[in-house]
Amino acid sequence: MMHRKQFNRRKNKMENSIAARCRNKFWIVFLALFVFWHPLFYGFNWFSFPGIASPAKQAAIFMEAFLADPVRIRAGTVVKNGGFEDAGKELKLKQKDDACAGRYIYMHDLPGRFNEDLMKECKLLNKWVDMCDYLVNMGLGPDIGNRRFLQSRGWFSTNQFSLEPIFHSRMKQYECLTNDSSRAAAVFVPYYAGFDVVRHLWGDFNASVRDSGALGLVKWLREKPEWGFMGGRDHFMVAGRITWDFRRLDDGDSSWGNKLMLLPECRNMTVLTIESSPRDKNDFAIPYPSYFHPSTDDQILQWQSRMRKQRRRTLFSFAGAPRPNLDDSIRGQIIRQCLKSRTKCRLSECKPERRKCDNPVYVMRMFQSSVFCLQPPGDSFTRRSTFDSILAGCIPVFFTPASAYVQYLWHLPRNFAKYSVLIPEGDVRGKNVSIENILSGISNSRVSAMREEVIKLIPKLVYADPRTRLKRIKDAFDLTVEAVIDRVKKLRKEMREGKDSSLDFDDEHSWKYYAFGTVAEHEWDHFFSKQISSTRQN
């Protein structure tokens, strides 16, 4: 009995040993097969054999296309007829020639309190004018219709401070929008900064109330993953008022504006304004919205042709009001010179009760009949009137380079003498010059050449109707977006290289760097020699 038990124990032990050895050999064989088959299965292109293509291959093509452009795949524009073959073809073509490569824009979906809700408070957006009338048609204002001196279509009664909804509406139609922020060349922030601040510019509002919207915006942006890519340096926004409304230097309740553009986050962003600060690096001026918003290329071409044929019987004109409360204003001298040159100058004093200067038909009629249009500074350096005059084919006359030459760098020629005249404001203030004599002394041939340059500028300075899209012509919006993308591309390159070109100059000379690419001594230095104080425009 004892021998049988010992025998059984030895038998079981041997069977267990044999089973263990088999299990070990099985795992060794399995491992060897895995090592052999893994590179063979994954490393070899089985799809190269005809007839092997399968639904798995189609699924792989679809997934690759989806990762490359999830927006178009979701929209169903790549997958056709229920199959994935076209998706692969589309992807190959896309990789070779993507019209939007390097041009994609990601637009933040901001809470309504930062943009569209502000339009609902339209009665608070202007102390003197009911802005509700101007915000129809996506911010273009009421359609003027067929009027004498204007074309039958494309003309609207547009308020000069309506840029934010107009630009936002155009961005919604931008052909290279993307839902994938990692592909974006730049990130648009559709914040209506001007509409936000203007509600609190007049009245009993303290500084904290005026800053609340701006502070809420930057807090919202910081919490988004897109902000971390470049710390906001790839972000841009539009502020449809002059820069001084957003540069309050202290927290006194009686100080003007808010401090949006002085916030660290906004100093990283590109801020587009209708008037920028010549001394700061993060804001850039783009054209005021004028009255013409063409919906087709032909409307622009027809208007340009009409302005070339226009008869101009008045040598120069001025539309504006005096500024007796501003000691440095030269408007009083300009009005006196215009009155003295009655046969050569046409004057329209902009009085609130008459509202002629807010009438597009009246303004365009006066400018169309003039060879030169005077554009002196008002409450600030720039004027919407500058763009109205160019639209009418009237040669602008400036009295400081801060009114246009160092402002609209993306839209106006660097050779300012080709399209305009500069009469130093100091000469007018000192009564050392006659505006009539200077303008009369310009030869007819030069006047014709300058007018042609002005008329060529028209497409670059208008904002097309957001409800349509121009086919061949680039308008102010197109040029602005291109310039922003180029700027962000440069900033991105500098970040990779650990550089910062803004360290090459200080704020005092930034206007020269952006206008001429150098901070060397310049003939306009005396225009900017004194500290530019914060001003406001009503």
Side-chain angles (χ1 to χ4, degrees):
M1 189 72 178
M2 181 65 67
H3 291 295
R4 180 173 291 182
K5 290 181 179 179
Q6 291 177 348
F7 173 80
N8 289 337
R9 283 197 296 269
R10 289 174 182 174
K11 181 181 177 181
N12 292 336
K13 187 176 181 180
M14 289 178 63
E15 288 176 350
N16 292 336
S17 177
I18 292 172
R21 285 196 297 269
C22 288
R23 284 196 299 270
N24 291 338
K25 288 180 179 180
F26 171 78
W27 285 109
I28 292 172
V29 171
F30 178 80
L31 181 60
L33 290 173
F34 177 81
V35 172
F36 174 77
W37 282 103
H38 184 274
L40 183 64
F41 183 78
Y42 288 98
F44 191 79
N45 183 14
W46 292 93
F47 294 153
S48 62
F49 288 97
I52 299 296
S54 64
K57 175 185 176 181
Q58 293 179 340
I61 293 173
F62 172 79
M63 184 56 66
E64 187 180 3
F66 179 84
L67 292 174
D69 197 343
V71 178
R72 296 188 65 191
I73 294 293
R74 289 193 192 101
T77 57
V78 175
V79 183
K80 302 174 184 177
N81 303 321
F84 301 126
E85 196 74 28
D86 291 330
K89 293 178 182 178
E90 181 76 350
L91 177 61
K92 291 178 181 178
L93 292 174
K94 188 178 181 65
Q95 290 172 339
K96 290 182 179 179
D97 185 18
D98 183 356
C100 288
R103 299 173 55 228
Y104 285 107
I105 298 291
Y106 177 83
M107 180 165 62
H108 276 300
D109 185 14
L110 293 182
R113 69 180 184 274
F114 293 121
N115 45 45
E116 294 178 355
D117 288 354
L118 296 172
M119 295 180 67
K120 299 175 184 178
E121 301 180 8
C122 51
K123 293 197 177 288
L124 304 177
L125 300 181
N126 194 305
K127 182 179 179 180
W128 300 273
V129 177
D130 184 356
M131 284 293 291
C132 299
D133 296 337
Y134 288 104
L135 296 182
V136 299
N137 295 317
M138 296 185 170
L140 303 182
D143 192 326
I144 296 175
N146 191 4
R147 299 289 188 91
R148 190 184 177 189
F149 301 104
L150 304 177
Q151 285 181 171
S152 59
R153 302 188 64 183
W155 291 84
F156 299 82
S157 184
T158 305
N159 186 273
Q160 63 178 334
F161 298 125
S162 296
L163 181 58
E164 292 155 0
I166 294 173
F167 200 96
H168 187 194
S169 298
R170 283 295 308 277
M171 186 58 73
K172 290 178 181 178
Q173 304 299 326
Y174 181 62
E175 65 272 19
C176 294
L177 278 182
T178 178
N179 288 338
D180 183 357
S181 59
S182 66
R183 304 174 65 200
V187 178
F188 178 57
V189 182
Y191 172 46
Y192 294 179
F195 284 0
D196 189 6
V197 70
V198 74
R199 299 175 301 158
H200 307 127
L201 287 181
W202 293 274
D204 189 19
F205 299 103
N206 59 36
S208 61
V209 171
R210 281 178 270 138
D211 291 338
S212 59
L215 293 173
L217 173 76
V218 298
K219 180 180 183 297
W220 189 92
L221 289 173
R222 285 197 310 265
E223 294 173 352
K224 295 300 172 182
E226 291 78 20
W227 186 263
F229 290 158
M230 294 180 64
R233 291 173 180 83
D234 56 349
H235 285 49
F236 71 103
M237 58 179 284
V238 173
R241 294 185 65 87
I242 63 174
T243 188
W244 314 111
D245 291 340
F246 311 100
R247 292 185 176 278
R248 196 187 68 243
L249 297 177
D250 57 56
D251 291 332
D253 291 342
S254 61
S255 299
W256 181 261
N258 67 17
K259 57 182 180 182
L260 170 70
M261 292 192 186
L262 300 181
L263 296 176
E265 294 84 356
C266 285
R267 293 186 70 84
N268 277 355
M269 296 170 59
T270 298
V271 184
L272 311 173
T273 65
I274 52 178
E275 175 180 320
S276 65
S277 166
R279 296 185 182 278
D280 291 275
K281 314 178 184 74
N282 65 317
D283 59 327
F284 296 83
I286 61 177
Y288 283 75
S290 190
Y291 302 115
F292 188 35
H293 304 281
S295 56
T296 66
D297 298 300
D298 287 342
Q299 287 181 5
I300 296 178
L301 298 175
Q302 290 169 8
W303 180 255
Q304 287 178 297
S305 177
R306 182 170 175 172
M307 291 304 96
R308 289 186 177 98
K309 301 173 183 177
Q310 185 71 31
R311 296 186 63 182
R312 302 176 187 273
R313 296 183 174 89
T314 303
L315 178 63
F316 63 105
S317 62
F318 173 61
R323 293 292 188 270
N325 57 316
L326 298 179
D327 295 335
D328 291 339
S329 176
I330 60 172
R331 288 196 174 195
Q333 288 91 331
I334 286 176
I335 291 173
R336 284 191 288 273
Q337 287 206 32
C338 188
L339 290 173
K340 186 177 179 181
S341 303
R342 292 185 178 181
T343 60
K344 298 290 184 69
C345 181
R346 185 173 178 180
L347 174 65
S348 177
E349 289 196 59
C350 299
K351 298 181 179 180
E353 63 274 13
R354 299 176 67 183
R355 303 195 64 80
K356 278 189 174 182
C357 294
D358 294 327
N359 185 330
V361 178
Y362 176 82
V363 170
M364 295 305 294
R365 179 175 60 189
M366 185 176 77
F367 288 166
Q368 285 178 46
S369 66
S370 304
V371 178
F372 298 98
C373 291
L374 307 185
Q375 304 297 345
D379 297 319
S380 65
F381 296 114
T382 65
R383 306 180 73 206
R384 201 268 287 274
S385 177
T386 295
F387 301 96
D388 295 338
S389 66
I390 292 176
L391 188 56
C394 185
I395 301 168
V397 179
F398 300 114
F399 299 86
T400 170
S403 291
Y405 305 149
V406 301
Q407 294 282 347
Y408 309 102
L409 303 175
W410 299 337
H411 299 81
L412 295 178
R414 299 300 174 94
N415 185 354
F416 67 92
K418 291 181 64 176
Y419 73 94
S420 67
V421 177
L422 176 63
I423 301 176
E425 58 185 348
D427 293 343
V428 177
R429 189 178 297 109
K431 302 179 182 180
N432 299 323
V433 299
S434 165
I435 296 174
E436 178 184 338
N437 290 343
I438 291 175
L439 299 181
S440 297
I442 301 175
S443 67
N444 291 336
S445 60
R446 186 184 169 202
V447 167
S448 297
M450 293 171 71
R451 182 183 302 120
E452 180 60 24
E453 289 297 325
V454 167
I455 294 173
K456 286 180 180 179
L457 287 174
I458 292 175
K460 300 179 180 181
L461 305 180
V462 299
Y463 295 93
D465 191 322
R467 296 164 293 190
T468 60
R469 183 175 295 171
L470 302 181
K471 294 181 178 180
R472 305 182 305 275
I473 295 176
K474 294 181 180 181
D475 70 344
F477 171 86
D478 296 320
L479 295 178
T480 298
V481 172
E482 288 181 359
V484 168
I485 289 175
D486 287 343
R487 171 171 159 77
V488 172
K489 187 183 300 183
K490 180 180 178 182
L491 293 174
R492 186 176 287 114
K493 180 181 178 182
E494 288 184 349
M495 288 183 67
R496 287 197 303 264
E497 297 174 350
K499 298 179 181 178
D500 184 355
S501 62
S502 66
L503 298 177
D504 297 337
F505 57 91
D506 55 24
D507 289 347
E508 182 76 18
H509 300 98
S510 60
W511 68 270
K512 286 191 284 188
Y513 179 83
Y514 287 116
F516 306 109
T518 177
V519 294
E521 187 175 336
H522 193 274
E523 61 179 317
W524 291 344
D525 283 344
H526 68 281
F527 285 103
F528 304 96
S529 60
K530 62 182 180 179
Q531 180 65 35
I532 299 176
S533 59
S534 297
T535 57
R536 68 188 186 198
Q537 180 170 336
N538 298 339

